[in-house]
Amino acid sequence: MRIDRNSVVIITGASRGIGRAAAIEFAKRGAKVVVASRDEAKMKEVADRVREAGGEPMVVACDVAVEKSCQELAKRTLARFSRIDILINNAGFGYYSPVEDLSTEKLDQIFRTNLYGTIWCTQAVLPQMKKQNRGHIVNVSTIISGRSIPFMSAYCMTKFAMRAFDESLRLEVRSHGIGVSHVCPGLTTTDFQTNAVRVEGSGPPVPNQMGMSPEKVGRAIFRAVERNKREVTLTMNGKIMLTLQRISPRLTDAIIALYMRRKMHGTQAASGTN
């Protein structure tokens, strides 16, 4: 899809990290960028960056965990710009917990934000995209949407489900000129680790400096729309892991288990515990 000054892009979770980077990337092409998030102060800062980059910003306070808020986001966008070309479902958070300690309340929260919010925002924009016979939906996922890891079962479940959602959606909307991209970053230098819900015994946070930049992910999202990419996996480690998972799940289990043991041992050694 060609992105230009007539393109209208909605980005959820746009106040920081990957969403912020994607907003600036689309603004460089002059797009009209709807910055959606719960953090109004940070959204205003992103809107300034969008304007500086050459785009036209619109700020909409939106909690994707609330269905009405997702509907209102689409309505306000149409009231301002009369069209919706691209939706980037990026809002989400992490939840680290052993399976035996999973909280029903936290499970409800993460499913409403990471999965239901994606579904509700997609449902809100589809009628307009079908009317236009043109559109693109990007669902920002993770390399662990195809291979779950210890202590992140809840987060992985939302992303596994997102993958299934994308596969169905893609076939349903292809005749309407609508593309669907499943974008899978690896660890990224954002607030994800800091903002994640973490239960004791779920292992130490992964150091942020090990991750890729949000700007790299933002560029990948832009290319996925421009080239109508079905799926994008961003790290070599991620590509190797998913390939190995298809070839030998048992070997993948062993490698991940070894990695987790080393990570836990390293944290204990650093803290002086046994």
Side-chain angles (χ1 to χ4, degrees):
M1 174 187 288
R2 177 181 169 82
I3 295 101
D4 55 28
R5 293 188 176 277
N6 295 317
S7 302
V8 178
V9 186
I10 297 175
I11 305 176
T12 67
S15 62
R16 52 173 57 83
I18 292 171
R20 179 182 185 274
I24 295 167
E25 193 65 30
F26 280 90
K28 291 175 183 177
R29 276 68 176 185
K32 298 171 174 62
V33 182
V34 181
V35 179
S37 171
R38 295 179 300 173
D39 192 330
E40 295 195 47
K42 285 192 176 292
M43 280 195 293
K44 289 176 183 176
E45 185 270 330
V46 175
D48 290 340
R49 291 297 308 277
V50 166
R51 196 175 290 107
E52 290 168 6
E56 181 181 343
M58 176 184 178
V59 171
V60 180
C62 176
D63 182 354
V64 300
V66 179
E67 185 174 5
K68 276 191 173 183
S69 189
C70 299
Q71 295 168 349
E72 186 64 21
L73 172 61
K75 287 178 184 177
R76 290 187 59 185
T77 301
L78 286 172
R80 169 83 174 267
F81 297 122
S82 302
R83 63 182 298 113
I84 299 171
D85 297 291
I86 301 158
L87 168 66
I88 301 171
N89 285 308
N90 171 67
F93 71 94
Y95 177 24
Y96 291 80
S97 172
V99 169
E100 63 186 311
D101 295 325
L102 288 172
S103 156
T104 300
E105 179 184 358
K106 294 301 180 187
L107 283 171
D108 181 64
Q109 289 175 7
I110 196 169
F111 269 86
R112 290 181 72 86
T113 301
N114 293 16
L115 180 60
Y116 299 163
T118 293
I119 296 169
W120 292 331
C121 286
T122 300
Q123 289 174 327
V125 305
L126 276 180
Q128 180 62 32
M129 287 186 176
K130 286 183 175 181
K131 182 179 177 182
Q132 296 165 185
N133 209 37
R134 181 180 189 271
H136 202 101
I137 296 165
V138 177
N139 290 328
V140 180
S141 186
T142 169
I143 60 171
I144 52 176
S145 65
R147 164 68 220 201
S148 193
I149 63 174
F151 308 117
M152 292 198 76
S153 59
Y155 179 74
C156 290
M157 282 190 285
T158 65
K159 298 304 184 177
F160 269 64
M162 180 186 283
R163 181 182 290 277
F165 174 72
D166 285 356
E167 289 178 0
S168 294
L169 176 66
R170 187 178 294 111
L171 293 174
E172 290 181 20
V173 301
R174 63 188 302 181
S175 63
H176 298 280
I178 302 168
V180 178
S181 296
H182 188 84
V183 176
C184 302
L187 179 67
T188 309
T189 55
T190 67
D191 295 334
F192 179 87
Q193 296 285 336
T194 305
N195 295 334
V197 176
R198 188 177 293 277
V199 175
E200 186 177 353
S202 59
V206 179
N208 248 2
Q209 61 267 28
M210 293 175 62
M212 69 179 70
S213 72
E215 288 73 23
K216 181 175 181 179
V217 184
R219 290 191 294 271
I221 290 170
F222 179 86
R223 289 194 298 270
V225 175
E226 191 177 45
R227 301 172 188 176
N228 192 21
K229 303 274 285 184
R230 174 190 179 93
E231 182 166 335
V232 179
T233 302
L234 287 174
T235 67
M236 183 55 66
N237 285 344
K239 292 174 183 178
I240 291 170
M241 181 181 71
L242 295 176
T243 300
L244 191 59
Q245 171 68 13
R246 288 192 290 270
I247 297 169
S248 177
R250 284 180 180 273
L251 179 57
T252 311
D253 284 350
I255 292 170
I256 292 174
L258 177 62
Y259 168 77
M260 294 300 296
R261 282 199 301 272
R262 286 182 173 177
K263 189 169 75 165
M264 294 292 287
H265 178 74
T267 303
Q268 289 171 351
S271 63
T273 60
N274 294 316

